[in-house]
Amino acid sequence: MLRPIVGADKVARLMASRKVEVAALSLHPAQVNGYPALIVRIDGELDTVLTLRIDDGLVSGLYAVRNPEKLSHMRHATALRRWARP
C-alpha cells in the first residue's frame, strides 16, 4: 500500500535522512510527462526518475519512480528532453 509523504517539512526530513553512497551518481535535468524531472543514474544505469508537479509556482508534488518495469519505458521508448527554466 502506498503512503504518500505530505507536507514540506516531512518531505525535507525524508530527503535529508537518505544517505547515498555510490561510486558514480549522476543527475540529469529533463522533462517527463510535461513536468520538470531529474533522471538519476548510478554507475551509468537508470535508477530513478524524480518528477516535480508545480502549481501556482509552488512544488505541489514530488514523485519518484524506481520500479524497473516502469523505468524500462524510459530506457527504450521515451525520448528525454532537457528541462529549460523559464
Side-chain angles (χ1 to χ4, degrees), residues 40 46-49 65-76:
V40 180
L46 180 61
D47 181 77
T48 306
V49 174
V65 176
R66 297 196 72 213
N67 180 328
E69 289 182 23
K70 290 182 179 182
L71 291 177
S72 69
H73 297 289
M74 296 294 294
R75 288 186 188 102
H76 303 295

Side-chain angles (χ1 to χ4, degrees), residues 25-80:
L25 174 77
S26 63
L27 303 173
H28 305 277
Q31 190 172 45
V32 175
N33 296 330
Y35 293 103
L38 280 176
I39 307 302
V40 180
R41 294 185 182 278
I42 296 177
D43 295 327
E45 295 292 320
L46 180 61
D47 181 77
T48 306
V49 174
L50 293 168
T51 306
L52 296 174
R53 187 177 77 210
I54 300 174
D55 293 310
D56 297 324
L58 299 173
V59 174
S60 59
L62 173 66
Y63 305 94
V65 176
R66 297 196 72 213
N67 180 328
E69 289 182 23
K70 290 182 179 182
L71 291 177
S72 69
H73 297 289
M74 296 294 294
R75 288 186 188 102
H76 303 295
T78 304
L80 300 177

